[in-house]
Amino acid sequence: MTAPSMTTPDPARFSLNTATVRAQWTLAQIIDGCTRHGIRMISPWRDQVAKDGLKATAVRVRDAELVLSGYCRGGMFPAPDASGRAAAADDNRRAVDEALALGARCLVLVVGGLPKRGDGTPASKDLAGARAMVRDGIAELLDYARPAGMPLAIEPLHPMYAADRACVNTMAHANALCDELGDGLGIAVDVYHVWWDPDLRQEIARAGRARSANGKSRLLAFHLSDWLVPTRDMLVDRGMMGDGVIDLPLIRSWMEDAGYRGAHEVEIFSAGNWWKRDPDEVLATCKTRHAAMC
Ligand code: ZN
């Protein structure tokens, strides 16, 4: 037997982002499915945990001996007024508490876009102002999360989401926030959001070089799916690995060159395809494609 090649993904690193089968199964059913399919890591969403109950979920996770590669998600910091920002801060502290209760390795942050009115419409065109609110919101949350030992992972989102979901859109911006705000903050690298970036390789390397005081890398998570051509929906038309145009082994090699040894989290929002299929088939396909295509 020889050691696994750096060009072959390690099946033990496979993690299921539970959004991948959220249309078909409850979180309890997903956890049972992971046991059946030999999946050892998951990354669940707050609404799924709320539906099944935090305590009950923590027990199920422990009984199934699952590791949480992440917890989705905190963020959404910008708001039109101080009370809205305070409400977001409260909710983010609860997200940290939940991540701790579940033993997650990090809390993923989707930082929010332009401030929204109560009806969800944009309250401002001030993108720089929104980015300042994000910076201040993360700084405040770090004061809570850092002493509790819960790393925060900024997930830069594709720029098509800058208005409504996340106004941190590049690895360079996420790295700059980490440089400024320091320990306890890192990055979730989602190939769907960053594959197009001409500076991706150097920014992954930069994140890998940056070490916190305790020697931990800032690369906290790695999310996998594929970019379909054409993409028919901005949010829920992600591809299964191998069905699109992202050079997944290349980006994985950059992550490994930067020292990343964490989970490979498969996260596929797919209203028109994978959310309509038998979830057992979806999990089996995720594992096969991870082994063959990543
Ligand atoms: Zn992601």
mmCIF file with all atom_site columns, all heavy atoms in Angstrom, residues 181-200:
data_model
loop_
_atom_site.group_PDB
_atom_site.id
_atom_site.type_symbol
_atom_site.label_atom_id
_atom_site.label_alt_id
_atom_site.label_comp_id
_atom_site.label_asym_id
_atom_site.label_entity_id
_atom_site.label_seq_id
_atom_site.pdbx_PDB_ins_code
_atom_site.Cartn_x
_atom_site.Cartn_y
_atom_site.Cartn_z
_atom_site.occupancy
_atom_site.B_iso_or_equiv
_atom_site.pdbx_formal_charge
_atom_site.auth_seq_id
_atom_site.auth_comp_id
_atom_site.auth_asym_id
_atom_site.auth_atom_id
_atom_site.pdbx_PDB_model_num
ATOM 1   N N   . LEU A 1 181 ? -9.072  42.384 11.833  1.00 0.00 ? 181 LEU A N   1
ATOM 2   C CA  . LEU A 1 181 ? -9.816  42.023 13.042  1.00 0.00 ? 181 LEU A CA  1
ATOM 3   C C   . LEU A 1 181 ? -9.147  40.919 13.853  1.00 0.00 ? 181 LEU A C   1
ATOM 4   O O   . LEU A 1 181 ? -9.486  40.723 15.028  1.00 0.00 ? 181 LEU A O   1
ATOM 5   C CB  . LEU A 1 181 ? -11.252 41.641 12.684  1.00 0.00 ? 181 LEU A CB  1
ATOM 6   C CG  . LEU A 1 181 ? -12.045 42.771 11.999  1.00 0.00 ? 181 LEU A CG  1
ATOM 7   C CD1 . LEU A 1 181 ? -13.430 42.290 11.581  1.00 0.00 ? 181 LEU A CD1 1
ATOM 8   C CD2 . LEU A 1 181 ? -12.158 44.001 12.900  1.00 0.00 ? 181 LEU A CD2 1
ATOM 9   N N   . GLY A 1 182 ? -8.235  40.178 13.233  1.00 0.00 ? 182 GLY A N   1
ATOM 10  C CA  . GLY A 1 182 ? -7.348  39.326 14.021  1.00 0.00 ? 182 GLY A CA  1
ATOM 11  C C   . GLY A 1 182 ? -7.896  37.970 14.426  1.00 0.00 ? 182 GLY A C   1
ATOM 12  O O   . GLY A 1 182 ? -8.760  37.406 13.760  1.00 0.00 ? 182 GLY A O   1
ATOM 13  N N   . ASP A 1 183 ? -7.379  37.466 15.525  1.00 0.00 ? 183 ASP A N   1
ATOM 14  C CA  . ASP A 1 183 ? -7.620  36.089 15.963  1.00 0.00 ? 183 ASP A CA  1
ATOM 15  C C   . ASP A 1 183 ? -9.098  35.747 16.069  1.00 0.00 ? 183 ASP A C   1
ATOM 16  O O   . ASP A 1 183 ? -9.915  36.574 16.468  1.00 0.00 ? 183 ASP A O   1
ATOM 17  C CB  . ASP A 1 183 ? -6.993  35.877 17.340  1.00 0.00 ? 183 ASP A CB  1
ATOM 18  C CG  . ASP A 1 183 ? -5.572  35.381 17.223  1.00 0.00 ? 183 ASP A CG  1
ATOM 19  O OD1 . ASP A 1 183 ? -5.052  35.348 16.101  1.00 0.00 ? 183 ASP A OD1 1
ATOM 20  O OD2 . ASP A 1 183 ? -4.999  35.028 18.267  1.00 0.00 ? 183 ASP A OD2 1
ATOM 21  N N   . GLY A 1 184 ? -9.389  34.481 15.755  1.00 0.00 ? 184 GLY A N   1
ATOM 22  C CA  . GLY A 1 184 ? -10.755 33.998 15.882  1.00 0.00 ? 184 GLY A CA  1
ATOM 23  C C   . GLY A 1 184 ? -11.561 34.158 14.619  1.00 0.00 ? 184 GLY A C   1
ATOM 24  O O   . GLY A 1 184 ? -12.696 33.698 14.546  1.00 0.00 ? 184 GLY A O   1
ATOM 25  N N   . LEU A 1 185 ? -10.964 34.799 13.606  1.00 0.00 ? 185 LEU A N   1
ATOM 26  C CA  . LEU A 1 185 ? -11.674 35.042 12.344  1.00 0.00 ? 185 LEU A CA  1
ATOM 27  C C   . LEU A 1 185 ? -10.929 34.350 11.208  1.00 0.00 ? 185 LEU A C   1
ATOM 28  O O   . LEU A 1 185 ? -9.696  34.428 11.133  1.00 0.00 ? 185 LEU A O   1
ATOM 29  C CB  . LEU A 1 185 ? -11.750 36.547 12.084  1.00 0.00 ? 185 LEU A CB  1
ATOM 30  C CG  . LEU A 1 185 ? -12.594 37.012 10.890  1.00 0.00 ? 185 LEU A CG  1
ATOM 31  C CD1 . LEU A 1 185 ? -14.048 36.567 11.033  1.00 0.00 ? 185 LEU A CD1 1
ATOM 32  C CD2 . LEU A 1 185 ? -12.518 38.534 10.759  1.00 0.00 ? 185 LEU A CD2 1
ATOM 33  N N   . GLY A 1 186 ? -11.684 33.672 10.350  1.00 0.00 ? 186 GLY A N   1
ATOM 34  C CA  . GLY A 1 186 ? -11.085 33.007 9.194   1.00 0.00 ? 186 GLY A CA  1
ATOM 35  C C   . GLY A 1 186 ? -12.031 33.057 8.015   1.00 0.00 ? 186 GLY A C   1
ATOM 36  O O   . GLY A 1 186 ? -12.938 33.888 7.964   1.00 0.00 ? 186 GLY A O   1
ATOM 37  N N   . ILE A 1 187 ? -11.816 32.136 7.073   1.00 0.00 ? 187 ILE A N   1
ATOM 38  C CA  . ILE A 1 187 ? -12.545 32.189 5.800   1.00 0.00 ? 187 ILE A CA  1
ATOM 39  C C   . ILE A 1 187 ? -13.093 30.805 5.450   1.00 0.00 ? 187 ILE A C   1
ATOM 40  O O   . ILE A 1 187 ? -12.412 29.789 5.647   1.00 0.00 ? 187 ILE A O   1
ATOM 41  C CB  . ILE A 1 187 ? -11.610 32.671 4.669   1.00 0.00 ? 187 ILE A CB  1
ATOM 42  C CG1 . ILE A 1 187 ? -11.014 34.047 5.015   1.00 0.00 ? 187 ILE A CG1 1
ATOM 43  C CG2 . ILE A 1 187 ? -12.347 32.730 3.339   1.00 0.00 ? 187 ILE A CG2 1
ATOM 44  C CD1 . ILE A 1 187 ? -10.005 34.548 4.006   1.00 0.00 ? 187 ILE A CD1 1
ATOM 45  N N   . ALA A 1 188 ? -14.327 30.788 4.951   1.00 0.00 ? 188 ALA A N   1
ATOM 46  C CA  . ALA A 1 188 ? -14.897 29.598 4.325   1.00 0.00 ? 188 ALA A CA  1
ATOM 47  C C   . ALA A 1 188 ? -14.782 29.791 2.815   1.00 0.00 ? 188 ALA A C   1
ATOM 48  O O   . ALA A 1 188 ? -15.373 30.726 2.265   1.00 0.00 ? 188 ALA A O   1
ATOM 49  C CB  . ALA A 1 188 ? -16.357 29.415 4.733   1.00 0.00 ? 188 ALA A CB  1
ATOM 50  N N   . VAL A 1 189 ? -14.007 28.933 2.172   1.00 0.00 ? 189 VAL A N   1
ATOM 51  C CA  . VAL A 1 189 ? -13.785 29.032 0.729   1.00 0.00 ? 189 VAL A CA  1
ATOM 52  C C   . VAL A 1 189 ? -14.803 28.147 0.026   1.00 0.00 ? 189 VAL A C   1
ATOM 53  O O   . VAL A 1 189 ? -14.745 26.922 0.123   1.00 0.00 ? 189 VAL A O   1
ATOM 54  C CB  . VAL A 1 189 ? -12.356 28.583 0.358   1.00 0.00 ? 189 VAL A CB  1
ATOM 55  C CG1 . VAL A 1 189 ? -12.142 28.661 -1.155  1.00 0.00 ? 189 VAL A CG1 1
ATOM 56  C CG2 . VAL A 1 189 ? -11.320 29.421 1.099   1.00 0.00 ? 189 VAL A CG2 1
ATOM 57  N N   . ASP A 1 190 ? -15.773 28.763 -0.649  1.00 0.00 ? 190 ASP A N   1
ATOM 58  C CA  . ASP A 1 190 ? -16.788 28.021 -1.385  1.00 0.00 ? 190 ASP A CA  1
ATOM 59  C C   . ASP A 1 190 ? -16.499 28.184 -2.868  1.00 0.00 ? 190 ASP A C   1
ATOM 60  O O   . ASP A 1 190 ? -16.570 29.302 -3.402  1.00 0.00 ? 190 ASP A O   1
ATOM 61  C CB  . ASP A 1 190 ? -18.180 28.558 -1.030  1.00 0.00 ? 190 ASP A CB  1
ATOM 62  C CG  . ASP A 1 190 ? -19.296 27.734 -1.676  1.00 0.00 ? 190 ASP A CG  1
ATOM 63  O OD1 . ASP A 1 190 ? -19.099 27.243 -2.808  1.00 0.00 ? 190 ASP A OD1 1
ATOM 64  O OD2 . ASP A 1 190 ? -20.360 27.594 -1.047  1.00 0.00 ? 190 ASP A OD2 1
ATOM 65  N N   . VAL A 1 191 ? -16.180 27.084 -3.532  1.00 0.00 ? 191 VAL A N   1
ATOM 66  C CA  . VAL A 1 191 ? -15.763 27.158 -4.938  1.00 0.00 ? 191 VAL A CA  1
ATOM 67  C C   . VAL A 1 191 ? -16.821 27.839 -5.805  1.00 0.00 ? 191 VAL A C   1
ATOM 68  O O   . VAL A 1 191 ? -16.484 28.525 -6.770  1.00 0.00 ? 191 VAL A O   1
ATOM 69  C CB  . VAL A 1 191 ? -15.433 25.766 -5.522  1.00 0.00 ? 191 VAL A CB  1
ATOM 70  C CG1 . VAL A 1 191 ? -14.238 25.142 -4.812  1.00 0.00 ? 191 VAL A CG1 1
ATOM 71  C CG2 . VAL A 1 191 ? -16.635 24.829 -5.478  1.00 0.00 ? 191 VAL A CG2 1
ATOM 72  N N   . TYR A 1 192 ? -18.100 27.650 -5.480  1.00 0.00 ? 192 TYR A N   1
ATOM 73  C CA  . TYR A 1 192 ? -19.175 28.241 -6.273  1.00 0.00 ? 192 TYR A CA  1
ATOM 74  C C   . TYR A 1 192 ? -19.066 29.758 -6.295  1.00 0.00 ? 192 TYR A C   1
ATOM 75  O O   . TYR A 1 192 ? -19.374 30.395 -7.301  1.00 0.00 ? 192 TYR A O   1
ATOM 76  C CB  . TYR A 1 192 ? -20.531 27.827 -5.687  1.00 0.00 ? 192 TYR A CB  1
ATOM 77  C CG  . TYR A 1 192 ? -21.710 28.173 -6.559  1.00 0.00 ? 192 TYR A CG  1
ATOM 78  C CD1 . TYR A 1 192 ? -22.032 27.386 -7.664  1.00 0.00 ? 192 TYR A CD1 1
ATOM 79  C CD2 . TYR A 1 192 ? -22.497 29.282 -6.285  1.00 0.00 ? 192 TYR A CD2 1
ATOM 80  C CE1 . TYR A 1 192 ? -23.116 27.696 -8.466  1.00 0.00 ? 192 TYR A CE1 1
ATOM 81  C CE2 . TYR A 1 192 ? -23.588 29.606 -7.080  1.00 0.00 ? 192 TYR A CE2 1
ATOM 82  C CZ  . TYR A 1 192 ? -23.892 28.805 -8.176  1.00 0.00 ? 192 TYR A CZ  1
ATOM 83  O OH  . TYR A 1 192 ? -24.959 29.123 -8.967  1.00 0.00 ? 192 TYR A OH  1
ATOM 84  N N   . HIS A 1 193 ? -18.610 30.326 -5.203  1.00 0.00 ? 193 HIS A N   1
ATOM 85  C CA  . HIS A 1 193 ? -18.568 31.782 -5.065  1.00 0.00 ? 193 HIS A CA  1
ATOM 86  C C   . HIS A 1 193 ? -17.265 32.412 -5.550  1.00 0.00 ? 193 HIS A C   1
ATOM 87  O O   . HIS A 1 193 ? -17.244 33.587 -5.895  1.00 0.00 ? 193 HIS A O   1
ATOM 88  C CB  . HIS A 1 193 ? -18.774 32.168 -3.596  1.00 0.00 ? 193 HIS A CB  1
ATOM 89  C CG  . HIS A 1 193 ? -20.133 31.834 -3.079  1.00 0.00 ? 193 HIS A CG  1
ATOM 90  N ND1 . HIS A 1 193 ? -21.282 32.337 -3.625  1.00 0.00 ? 193 HIS A ND1 1
ATOM 91  C CD2 . HIS A 1 193 ? -20.532 31.033 -2.063  1.00 0.00 ? 193 HIS A CD2 1
ATOM 92  C CE1 . HIS A 1 193 ? -22.330 31.869 -2.963  1.00 0.00 ? 193 HIS A CE1 1
ATOM 93  N NE2 . HIS A 1 193 ? -21.904 31.070 -2.019  1.00 0.00 ? 193 HIS A NE2 1
ATOM 94  N N   . VAL A 1 194 ? -16.177 31.667 -5.546  1.00 0.00 ? 194 VAL A N   1
ATOM 95  C CA  . VAL A 1 194 ? -14.867 32.299 -5.781  1.00 0.00 ? 194 VAL A CA  1
ATOM 96  C C   . VAL A 1 194 ? -14.101 31.741 -6.984  1.00 0.00 ? 194 VAL A C   1
ATOM 97  O O   . VAL A 1 194 ? -13.015 32.232 -7.296  1.00 0.00 ? 194 VAL A O   1
ATOM 98  C CB  . VAL A 1 194 ? -13.980 32.211 -4.514  1.00 0.00 ? 194 VAL A CB  1
ATOM 99  C CG1 . VAL A 1 194 ? -14.638 32.939 -3.346  1.00 0.00 ? 194 VAL A CG1 1
ATOM 100 C CG2 . VAL A 1 194 ? -13.662 30.776 -4.131  1.00 0.00 ? 194 VAL A CG2 1
ATOM 101 N N   . TRP A 1 195 ? -14.658 30.765 -7.688  1.00 0.00 ? 195 TRP A N   1
ATOM 102 C CA  . TRP A 1 195 ? -13.888 30.080 -8.728  1.00 0.00 ? 195 TRP A CA  1
ATOM 103 C C   . TRP A 1 195 ? -13.436 31.014 -9.839  1.00 0.00 ? 195 TRP A C   1
ATOM 104 O O   . TRP A 1 195 ? -12.418 30.811 -10.482 1.00 0.00 ? 195 TRP A O   1
ATOM 105 C CB  . TRP A 1 195 ? -14.734 28.946 -9.347  1.00 0.00 ? 195 TRP A CB  1
ATOM 106 C CG  . TRP A 1 195 ? -15.877 29.435 -10.171 1.00 0.00 ? 195 TRP A CG  1
ATOM 107 C CD1 . TRP A 1 195 ? -17.087 29.853 -9.723  1.00 0.00 ? 195 TRP A CD1 1
ATOM 108 C CD2 . TRP A 1 195 ? -15.901 29.585 -11.596 1.00 0.00 ? 195 TRP A CD2 1
ATOM 109 N NE1 . TRP A 1 195 ? -17.880 30.254 -10.777 1.00 0.00 ? 195 TRP A NE1 1
ATOM 110 C CE2 . TRP A 1 195 ? -17.181 30.101 -11.942 1.00 0.00 ? 195 TRP A CE2 1
ATOM 111 C CE3 . TRP A 1 195 ? -14.982 29.332 -12.617 1.00 0.00 ? 195 TRP A CE3 1
ATOM 112 C CZ2 . TRP A 1 195 ? -17.554 30.374 -13.256 1.00 0.00 ? 195 TRP A CZ2 1
ATOM 113 C CZ3 . TRP A 1 195 ? -15.354 29.601 -13.937 1.00 0.00 ? 195 TRP A CZ3 1
ATOM 114 C CH2 . TRP A 1 195 ? -16.631 30.118 -14.244 1.00 0.00 ? 195 TRP A CH2 1
ATOM 115 N N   . TRP A 1 196 ? -14.199 32.086 -10.084 1.00 0.00 ? 196 TRP A N   1
ATOM 116 C CA  . TRP A 1 196 ? -13.971 33.013 -11.195 1.00 0.00 ? 196 TRP A CA  1
ATOM 117 C C   . TRP A 1 196 ? -12.850 34.011 -10.917 1.00 0.00 ? 196 TRP A C   1
ATOM 118 O O   . TRP A 1 196 ? -12.407 34.724 -11.809 1.00 0.00 ? 196 TRP A O   1
ATOM 119 C CB  . TRP A 1 196 ? -15.266 33.816 -11.427 1.00 0.00 ? 196 TRP A CB  1
ATOM 120 C CG  . TRP A 1 196 ? -15.677 34.500 -10.156 1.00 0.00 ? 196 TRP A CG  1
ATOM 121 C CD1 . TRP A 1 196 ? -16.458 33.981 -9.172  1.00 0.00 ? 196 TRP A CD1 1
ATOM 122 C CD2 . TRP A 1 196 ? -15.239 35.773 -9.691  1.00 0.00 ? 196 TRP A CD2 1
ATOM 123 N NE1 . TRP A 1 196 ? -16.539 34.857 -8.114  1.00 0.00 ? 196 TRP A NE1 1
ATOM 124 C CE2 . TRP A 1 196 ? -15.801 35.966 -8.416  1.00 0.00 ? 196 TRP A CE2 1
ATOM 125 C CE3 . TRP A 1 196 ? -14.416 36.778 -10.239 1.00 0.00 ? 196 TRP A CE3 1
ATOM 126 C CZ2 . TRP A 1 196 ? -15.563 37.123 -7.662  1.00 0.00 ? 196 TRP A CZ2 1
ATOM 127 C CZ3 . TRP A 1 196 ? -14.188 37.920 -9.484  1.00 0.00 ? 196 TRP A CZ3 1
ATOM 128 C CH2 . TRP A 1 196 ? -14.766 38.079 -8.220  1.00 0.00 ? 196 TRP A CH2 1
ATOM 129 N N   . ASP A 1 197 ? -12.402 34.121 -9.675  1.00 0.00 ? 197 ASP A N   1
ATOM 130 C CA  . ASP A 1 197 ? -11.534 35.204 -9.213  1.00 0.00 ? 197 ASP A CA  1
ATOM 131 C C   . ASP A 1 197 ? -10.105 35.017 -9.738  1.00 0.00 ? 197 ASP A C   1
ATOM 132 O O   . ASP A 1 197 ? -9.462  34.020 -9.416  1.00 0.00 ? 197 ASP A O   1
ATOM 133 C CB  . ASP A 1 197 ? -11.545 35.201 -7.676  1.00 0.00 ? 197 ASP A CB  1
ATOM 134 C CG  . ASP A 1 197 ? -10.764 36.355 -7.072  1.00 0.00 ? 197 ASP A CG  1
ATOM 135 O OD1 . ASP A 1 197 ? -9.987  37.018 -7.798  1.00 0.00 ? 197 ASP A OD1 1
ATOM 136 O OD2 . ASP A 1 197 ? -10.917 36.572 -5.867  1.00 0.00 ? 197 ASP A OD2 1
ATOM 137 N N   . PRO A 1 198 ? -9.584  35.962 -10.563 1.00 0.00 ? 198 PRO A N   1
ATOM 138 C CA  . PRO A 1 198 ? -8.219  35.787 -11.089 1.00 0.00 ? 198 PRO A CA  1
ATOM 139 C C   . PRO A 1 198 ? -7.150  35.760 -9.995  1.00 0.00 ? 198 PRO A C   1
ATOM 140 O O   . PRO A 1 198 ? -6.045  35.275 -10.224 1.00 0.00 ? 198 PRO A O   1
ATOM 141 C CB  . PRO A 1 198 ? -8.033  36.997 -12.020 1.00 0.00 ? 198 PRO A CB  1
ATOM 142 C CG  . PRO A 1 198 ? -9.108  37.955 -11.685 1.00 0.00 ? 198 PRO A CG  1
ATOM 143 C CD  . PRO A 1 198 ? -10.239 37.177 -11.076 1.00 0.00 ? 198 PRO A CD  1
ATOM 144 N N   . ASP A 1 199 ? -7.487  36.266 -8.802  1.00 0.00 ? 199 ASP A N   1
ATOM 145 C CA  . ASP A 1 199 ? -6.511  36.272 -7.703  1.00 0.00 ? 199 ASP A CA  1
ATOM 146 C C   . ASP A 1 199 ? -6.727  35.118 -6.718  1.00 0.00 ? 199 ASP A C   1
ATOM 147 O O   . ASP A 1 199 ? -6.149  35.122 -5.629  1.00 0.00 ? 199 ASP A O   1
ATOM 148 C CB  . ASP A 1 199 ? -6.598  37.600 -6.936  1.00 0.00 ? 199 ASP A CB  1
ATOM 149 C CG  . ASP A 1 199 ? -6.220  38.787 -7.810  1.00 0.00 ? 199 ASP A CG  1
ATOM 150 O OD1 . ASP A 1 199 ? -5.366  38.605 -8.707  1.00 0.00 ? 199 ASP A OD1 1
ATOM 151 O OD2 . ASP A 1 199 ? -6.791  39.876 -7.618  1.00 0.00 ? 199 ASP A OD2 1
ATOM 152 N N   . LEU A 1 200 ? -7.569  34.145 -7.106  1.00 0.00 ? 200 LEU A N   1
ATOM 153 C CA  . LEU A 1 200 ? -7.942  33.114 -6.129  1.00 0.00 ? 200 LEU A CA  1
ATOM 154 C C   . LEU A 1 200 ? -6.734  32.371 -5.576  1.00 0.00 ? 200 LEU A C   1
ATOM 155 O O   . LEU A 1 200 ? -6.605  32.192 -4.359  1.00 0.00 ? 200 LEU A O   1
ATOM 156 C CB  . LEU A 1 200 ? -8.940  32.125 -6.767  1.00 0.00 ? 200 LEU A CB  1
ATOM 157 C CG  . LEU A 1 200 ? -9.441  31.029 -5.829  1.00 0.00 ? 200 LEU A CG  1
ATOM 158 C CD1 . LEU A 1 200 ? -10.115 31.604 -4.598  1.00 0.00 ? 200 LEU A CD1 1
ATOM 159 C CD2 . LEU A 1 200 ? -10.401 30.092 -6.580  1.00 0.00 ? 200 LEU A CD2 1
#
